[in-house]
Amino acid sequence: MANRKELHTRLDYYNDLIQATILRYQNAVTGLIAQKAQHAWVRDNVYAILAVWGLALAHRKFADTDEQRAKCYELEQRVVKLMRGILMCLMRQIDKVEKFKKTQSVDDALHAKYNAENGSIAAGDKEWGHLQIDATSLFVLALAQMTASGLKIIFTLDEVDFVQNLVFYIGNAYRIRDYGIWERGDKTNHGFPELNASSIGMAKAALEAISALDLFGSHGGPASVIHVLPDQIKQCEVVLQSMLPRESSSKEIGAATLSVISFPAFALADEELVRTTRNEIITKLQGRYGCRRFLRDGYMTVREDHSRLHYEPAELKAFENIECEWPLFFTYLIIDGVFRDDLGQVDDYNGLLANVLVYDDNGNKLIPELYYVEGDKVELEYQNPHSQTRVPGSHVPHIWGQSLYVLSCLLCEGLITPGEIDPLNRRHAVLPNPELVVQVALLAEDDNVREELSNEGIEADTPSSLMHIEVFPARMLALAYQHLGRNSKLGLSGRPLQDTGLIATSLFYRIFDSVVAFTPQFLDYKQFYLCLDNELLVDDIETDIGTLQAHWRLMGRPTITLPITAAMLSIDTGSDRPWILKLITKMQLGYINGVRVRLGKLNDFLSTSCVKSLDFLETHSSDSLQDAPQKNPSKFFQILASLSPDSEIDASLDTFVPPKVPGSGVVTPERNLSIPTIVRHSPSGEKVQRMHDVGGPNLQKRYRSWSLLAKATPSLPQDSDAGVNELLLKLENEISSQELAITLNSLLDKRGANFMVDLPNRLVTTVGDLIDDLYKQVCDFKMWSLVRHTAGMLGKRVENLAESVTDIIVHQKLLTVGYPPAIREETITGPLPPDELKKIISTACGDDIRASIITQEVLVYLAMFMRTEPKLFKEMLRIRVGLIMEVMATEVANALECTGDEASEYFVNMSPFEMKHLLHQILSGREFEVAGAVDEEATVLSIPRKQSIRNKSVSILPLDQKASLYPESKYTTGFKEASRRKLSDLPSRLLSTNSTDSDSHYGCDKPGQWMRRRRIDGALNRVPENFYQYIWRVLEKCHGISIGGYILPQYPIIQEMTPNELKFAICVETALNRIPHPEFRQLIVEALMVLGKVVELEPIQTLGGIIDMNYVVHQANELFLQDQTSIDEFDYPVQELKGAEDICCDFYDSAPAGRFGTITYLSKVIVRRLDCQNTTECAIS
């Protein structure tokens, strides 16, 4: 500004503008703002008051006189009154907050709008789409920023507790389908909520902003501080990054995400993703008058039927190119330019905005809600977008847009700075973080373990040797947080009892004068067998270190408190050293998978770690602590004991009890099952006892067909014909563990788990107890096949099953369990309770107990990879767990050159780590081989081949060369060069290649390579890049596409959806999943890609009626056979080489490109079918 007087003149101008356009609508009693029908929207109110807050900040800085200071005070109180008005409306619905924390149901959501006159509800629970996570999150974010700027909005501790519960309300935003910023949910406005990136991003920003904030400002204390678990922020971040630039499943892009990538949320730390999202919005949604909210938005267009709220799917295309344009988004882009110091962007959008402002009778500049195309110009605008003059809608001013316009002006003129409206510095989220060092403190179970570690040159504490630091299992931290926000006066129960997560357990906590540390979540030993695999345990630790490196945003370094138990120091078969010692050796070198790691003791790490407070426990425990029983000298334990039932404390501490050392289990004589043993040798040469698992009769090796295994996990046979007495008689004799499992399984089916069994010389027991005994013993000896079978008989469930399924689904993946065909597959569409998930899995797997258990295992592993390596699932929309399991078993069969049944037994006997590693190799497309060594003792004892397979030591060995499962071609980057893989037991014809080196660079491919690759890609439902966009182009020019007899119709798909819309991709996947054979599915995918390329290259107006893709593939196969027959010196064995869908196995095993490549023949058929020019065929092949 030139001088102080001119500056005050500008402030007075904006004060008059705000009074005339915003504050005139503020209710004098409630403080809420409403323009029409006295409906005050939470979101609109918060945005409306931002300009008032900004102007108050400017007055605070430049006030010279008492009059100016008084004006500043009034503006600040206007802001406080509105924010408290919203707070009071929300607090009237405390019962909904309390219910929603547990149910996350649409019916229990806080209302999105209220009556501005008295704060009552403005619409019933079912009369409006009230579930709008972004609105509640925006209020929390604004509350945090305004409090940090010095405003006093929260007055009492009761209000603090309510805000803390609002944090719980929005904490699971990453998994909550809501109606979004436009209150519609799905863009057809039929009332279907969906995951919205704008809601998740705003929730993440709110959680970060309010975390550790004292709501009383400089006058507060520990009781007025808000606590947020960092793992909830991490989950929101991961899902948000997986969604952007897409807004939701029905909106391929949304202008609302501008509020997420820039002011006010600044929710993304990935600068490249921010840039990509901004550019997508500008490219696809920007017009001369503003930005469209999303593609095919019918709101307020002349073609919209105002007599109904919803749209018919087929009418959405009528809104294409004539969507209303909102000047509001120009203000977002101006503010974004100011924050990024991009003066060019600021000038550009200020110029655009100046052309769309309207003026009232007093000359005030107003922002209209939108600009629309008049009826007589609709057709012209549809034919030539952005060519017609638009007119403003009747809603002027749009208070939300008006407020951001004033705020942008204050920023552009330098009256306020970005730091003043962002006192929490959220704008710096994109700055790179310094290199992280993960600290690992080893805690020996007892002195014996510490001595054993010391012999290896490793220093470790024991719980008794720690000074001033106490260590507890992670579940105790969850129990402590259960008391956060609890308020009996308001009827608030606090945080639901849920896992806290990895980041939360990597901190130190202070309470009174004590310091508490917690062990990682996955070390809470419970009832499932995954914790028994030390190699998997080590892999989980390495994964967690990588996760901390990717998501740590706190001050200080993360510290993992790693307890070392005697069980961890046992040597597994096939290893020369305990896995945990191998990991510690790597840590001593300073790096784990590229992440810096420092080993040390807890006391040494205290000064460099992140330390948080649990002082909220003091408030709740002060009254009852005196009467608490002194079970433990720990202050933390005493406080929890005074607040929680003994049963909860005991259950939490039980999770800290490590599993037994293999072979050390003691079974009482009364229930001794007398399982025979054989002597086997450990790697150290010492003799150890192992259970002898006797197999059935010898299996004859037979020809393994090309089709996938019918089942990846055949269950143990049942003695269905044996009577109960005969089964009981078997129990009295010494039988093998497998026979015992079969016998107990039959008894379980016939009489149930509570059936009493009275055996000689033993106490009376039940079938369930006997199965439990067997489970513990086979766990001790790590006989994984029987471990899985007995776990299934006991109905065990992975503890984090529900969380794993949720992690997969919120990454916009479709999930099915069970085996194809589709009648046996069950689709999981959303987060479900764990028991319901277990029931769905059991139903899908039928009588196959082990398949049900392995399905749970695979889901856990898939969720791990989804969190840590989301790129593995690129171009995979649907995850079919059953098919993936079959491919895993088939890969084992190919690598070991054994029959399908043998490979299935091998597969179910793999350790959890081996199974996880095999899954990772298949997903990543890396070279690998399965190495197995038959135990010598087993051979001496003449154990049948099936038994030998079961006793093999499995090792998944990655090879040096890395590769993808995408074949490369000229028409798409989605097909990439593949690696060479070992494949055995092939038809003899496939032992020779069917193309020469001169044909293409694929001439050196190994036999069976392309068959295998197509099979894996088909099972993984992987498609080439831009595949769905190619399908869209084809559908635009034909009546439909037939895939396996299923018609993908042009109408109403093209009329309702857009090319990049997730819903469209789901429709295509639905058609493709009707194909039962994965290799045939991939040929259909290749054919569709060729067809899409033809449409792109050729000026074809129409493709006619229904295009039958099965016919195209079969015709291509016929051309291939003709060529093979004509050049083959011998009779070509057509019948011998018939594969799935009667397609030649040689054709399945052909590379995409080259003289005999699949694309060559597919393009010939398609070009002839469409009567195209010959140049097209050359370009494709």
Side-chain angles (χ1 to χ4, degrees), residues 884-991:
I884 291 175
M885 289 164 56
E886 288 185 358
V887 167
M888 292 169 70
T890 304
E891 288 299 292
V892 172
N894 287 333
L896 294 180
E897 303 182 20
C898 59
T899 66
D901 288 341
E902 291 173 332
S904 296
E905 285 300 317
Y906 202 125
F907 175 65
V908 297
N909 204 42
M910 295 173 74
S911 72
F913 170 78
E914 292 159 352
M915 192 165 289
K916 177 186 176 184
H917 196 48
L918 173 60
L919 175 61
H920 185 271
Q921 298 298 324
I922 291 174
L923 289 173
S924 64
R926 293 175 181 170
E927 291 269 8
F928 71 92
E929 61 183 6
V930 181
V934 181
D935 187 275
E936 294 181 3
E937 290 291 333
T939 306
V940 171
L941 292 171
S942 302
I943 297 178
R945 178 176 174 81
K946 188 171 183 178
Q947 177 61 28
S948 300
I949 289 289
R950 185 179 294 109
N951 287 335
K952 279 190 178 181
S953 173
V954 185
S955 179
I956 308 300
L957 304 176
L959 302 182
D960 293 335
Q961 182 182 2
K962 292 183 179 180
S964 161
L965 296 180
Y966 299 107
E968 182 162 13
S969 69
K970 298 178 182 178
Y971 67 82
T972 174
T973 57
F975 284 170
K976 298 180 180 178
E977 181 69 22
S979 61
R980 302 185 186 123
R981 288 177 170 81
K982 177 182 178 183
L983 194 67
S984 62
D985 201 19
L986 301 176
S988 57
R989 180 67 186 180
L990 296 182
L991 294 178

Side-chain angles (χ1 to χ4, degrees), residues 301 446 451 622 960:
T301 62
D446 51 34
E451 183 178 352
S622 57
D960 293 335

Side-chain angles (χ1 to χ4, degrees), residues 803-822:
E803 292 82 357
S804 298
V805 169
T806 299
D807 282 339
I808 295 171
I809 291 175
V810 297
H811 279 81
Q812 307 288 284
K813 303 298 180 185
L814 305 175
L815 181 64
T816 62
V817 295
Y819 295 108

Side-chain angles (χ1 to χ4, degrees), residues 503-682:
I503 300 177
T505 58
S506 301
L507 316 175
F508 285 102
Y509 294 87
R510 289 191 184 275
I511 180 167
F512 291 113
D513 55 352
S514 301
V515 177
V516 183
F518 297 91
T519 58
Q521 193 80 55
F522 69 89
L523 289 177
D524 276 8
Y525 298 112
K526 300 182 184 178
Q527 300 299 316
F528 209 69
Y529 57 81
L530 295 183
C531 62
L532 299 172
D533 188 353
N534 288 331
E535 194 173 5
L536 180 65
L537 187 80
V538 166
D539 188 66
D540 288 343
I541 295 171
E542 292 183 347
T543 299
D544 282 356
I545 290 174
T547 300
L548 287 173
Q549 194 273 338
H551 298 287
W552 185 264
R553 302 285 185 270
L554 303 176
M555 298 294 293
R557 296 173 175 176
T559 301
I560 297 178
T561 304
L562 184 59
I564 307 297
T565 66
M568 294 181 184
L569 296 176
S570 62
I571 300 178
D572 291 343
T573 304
S575 176
D576 59 346
R577 197 169 179 229
W579 292 108
I580 193 67
L581 292 185
K582 293 181 179 180
L583 175 66
I584 295 174
T585 301
K586 291 169 65 177
M587 290 180 177
Q588 290 174 327
L589 297 177
Y591 284 89
I592 294 290
N593 297 333
V595 182
R596 285 187 61 192
V597 177
R598 182 187 170 196
L599 274 177
K601 295 187 176 182
L602 281 175
N603 288 295
D604 298 334
F605 289 150
L606 190 56
S607 60
T608 56
S609 298
C610 181
V611 183
K612 286 201 170 186
S613 172
L614 292 177
D615 290 337
F616 63 87
L617 289 176
E618 302 176 22
T619 305
H620 294 285
S621 66
S622 57
D623 298 332
S624 54
L625 186 56
Q626 301 294 332
D627 301 327
Q630 304 298 311
K631 293 182 178 181
N632 190 301
S634 163
K635 194 71 172 179
F636 174 72
F637 185 92
Q638 291 176 26
I639 291 175
L640 277 190
S642 70
L643 296 172
S644 306
D646 289 345
S647 58
E648 290 186 357
I649 295 287
D650 294 340
S652 297
L653 289 176
D654 283 344
T655 64
F656 202 39
V657 178
K660 298 176 294 183
V661 181
S664 65
V666 178
V667 182
T668 58
E670 295 82 6
R671 293 170 60 184
N672 182 4
L673 301 180
S674 301
I675 298 174
T677 60
I678 61 173
V679 177
R680 302 180 67 185
H681 293 279
S682 70

Side-chain angles (χ1 to χ4, degrees), residues 1031 1035 1038-1053 1064 1066-1075 1088 1104-1111:
I1031 305 303
L1035 270 182
C1038 69
H1039 295 164
I1041 301 173
S1042 175
I1043 301 174
Y1046 179 85
I1047 304 297
L1048 190 66
Q1050 182 194 65
Y1051 180 90
I1053 289 178
F1064 172 67
I1066 292 174
C1067 288
V1068 177
E1069 279 298 317
T1070 300
L1072 289 173
N1073 285 333
R1074 299 298 181 100
I1075 303 172
L1088 287 168
I1106 304 295
I1107 300 177
D1108 189 344
M1109 299 311 300
N1110 284 48
Y1111 173 81

